[in-house]
Amino acid sequence: MSNDSPARNRGVMMITGGSRGIGAATARLAAERGWTVAIIYRDRLHDAQALVAAITAEGGRAQAIAADVADESEILRAFAEADRMGPLTALVNNAGVSGGASRVEAVTASQIDQVFAVNVRAAMLCAREAVRRMSTRHGGKGGAIVNVGSAASQLGSAGVWVHYAATKGAIDTMTIGLAKEVAAEGIRVNCVRPGIIDTEIHAFRPPGQLEQMAKGVPMARIGTPDEVAQSILWLADGELSPYVTASLIDARGGF
Ligand code: NAP
């Protein structure tokens, strides 16, 4: 954050899965733009702490909160902790897992349960908590919810993770339905659908596979977490996208 950047306080942005990857990039950019960032993570204490330290060193405000979003009671506790940081003005539903690569014929019930619990159930429960705080119907002042979907919702991810792609289809639908439900209550709800982004979610792939996949992207490269974060922040910011709701924005290099 530069010395002349405004010390605006835009309230609290909660980012689930904020410890690394797309969530961490979003946290850094949100802090630069004046949000107090509640960084929700599950396991990576050191990553989350290092991110908070980096944001604080730049003059930003952030706190790391450990919570497994697959567990409703942990979501409620995380929101209660974030409430102590200030009024919630934005939620980024970013935490996600792949469920592991598998053809459908080999997928297990526990793989399906895990990927739906984190990618769909948690996103809906976090959205519920955010609406209870931000909706004018509940005495709130409005805000924004940005769901992180995936190009997989349209492509289907055959042979890799159809179970994961199905969760992202649910995110698309949830975005549209919730956006319409709360549109007159001061809350905009949108979705960013990344393509192939260089994060640890691809750690299972053999070396060189991502580079090979990049050849199928019209922009001829994979994306970065920072590039996705720019789209998330555009949607979260009511000054930049005030009339945008129920939108699914693709950040996938034309893929
Ligand atoms: P990532 O690098 O693997 O990071 C995942 C994040 O989610 C981590 O912060 C992790 O916390 C957190 N998380 C996972 N399970 C959690 C749980 N049960 N409770 C709380 N936090 C949990 O993933 P990413 O690539 O940045 O993905 C972020 C989002 O983008 C996901 O929704 C993913 O589906 C979506 N996306 C990614 C790509 C891509 O190519 N990378 C493409 C399309 C969509 P810990 O660090 O504590 O484990």
Side-chain angles (χ1 to χ4, degrees), residues 16-17 19 56 91 99 105 109 135-136 138 149 224 247 254:
T16 66
S19 49
T56 308
L91 165 69
E105 66 202 24
S135 167
T136 54
H138 296 287
T224 68
S247 288

Side-chain angles (χ1 to χ4, degrees), residues 41 82 129 144 160 202 214:
Y41 69 100
E129 293 307 307
V160 188
H202 296 289

Side-chain angles (χ1 to χ4, degrees), residues 11-15 27 30-31 35-39 55 61-64 85:
V12 174
M13 176 184 288
M14 176 183 282
I15 304 172
W35 269 281
T36 300
V37 189
I39 296 165
I55 288 172
R61 294 173 294 268
Q63 185 180 321
M85 297 167 67

Side-chain angles (χ1 to χ4, degrees), residues 17-23 41-44 67-70 94-97 118 148-150 164 168 194-197 199-202:
S19 49
R20 56 194 164 95
I22 293 167
Y41 69 100
R42 184 189 48 189
D43 298 323
R44 299 281 196 95
D68 179 350
V69 295
N94 166 78
V97 291
V118 177
V148 181
S150 172
Y164 168 82
K168 297 303 187 177
I196 308 164
I197 311 300
T199 74
E200 289 181 46
I201 211 168
H202 296 289

Side-chain angles (χ1 to χ4, degrees), residues 16-221:
T16 66
S19 49
R20 56 194 164 95
I22 293 167
T26 304
R28 281 190 290 271
L29 195 57
E32 273 180 29
R33 298 192 183 172
W35 269 281
T36 300
V37 189
I39 296 165
I40 311 302
Y41 69 100
R42 184 189 48 189
D43 298 323
R44 299 281 196 95
L45 171 66
H46 290 303
D47 287 354
Q49 282 179 334
L51 179 58
V52 169
I55 288 172
T56 308
E58 290 290 306
R61 294 173 294 268
Q63 185 180 321
I65 300 171
D68 179 350
V69 295
D71 180 336
E72 182 181 13
S73 68
E74 297 212 10
I75 290 175
L76 297 180
R77 181 180 49 73
F79 270 89
E81 278 193 46
D83 286 342
R84 290 195 279 277
M85 297 167 67
L88 187 76
T89 56
L91 165 69
V92 180
N93 263 324
N94 166 78
V97 291
S98 69
S102 170
R103 283 173 59 92
V104 171
E105 66 202 24
V107 77
T108 65
S110 68
Q111 274 178 296
I112 297 169
D113 287 348
Q114 185 218 14
V115 74
F116 273 84
V118 177
N119 297 9
V120 182
R121 184 172 176 270
M124 285 208 74
L125 291 172
C126 288
R128 180 191 73 191
E129 293 307 307
V131 167
R132 286 176 179 174
R133 286 160 175 79
M134 300 192 304
S135 167
T136 54
R137 180 184 156 100
H138 296 287
K141 294 195 165 120
I145 296 173
V146 182
N147 296 319
V148 181
S150 172
S153 71
Q154 291 180 296
L155 301 174
S157 303
V160 188
W161 43 40
V162 173
H163 45 296
Y164 168 82
T167 68
K168 297 303 187 177
I171 288 297
D172 288 358
T173 306
M174 193 263 270
T175 299
I176 294 165
L178 179 60
K180 292 177 179 177
E181 192 167 297
V182 297
E185 299 170 23
I187 304 177
R188 296 176 307 106
V189 185
N190 292 290
C191 178
V192 173
R193 300 192 295 196
I196 308 164
I197 311 300
D198 189 12
T199 74
E200 289 181 46
I201 211 168
H202 296 289
F204 75 99
R205 296 186 189 279
Q209 191 179 51
L210 275 186
E211 290 69 20
Q212 195 59 32
M213 290 166 71
K215 293 181 184 158
V217 178
M219 286 179 78
R221 63 174 180 85

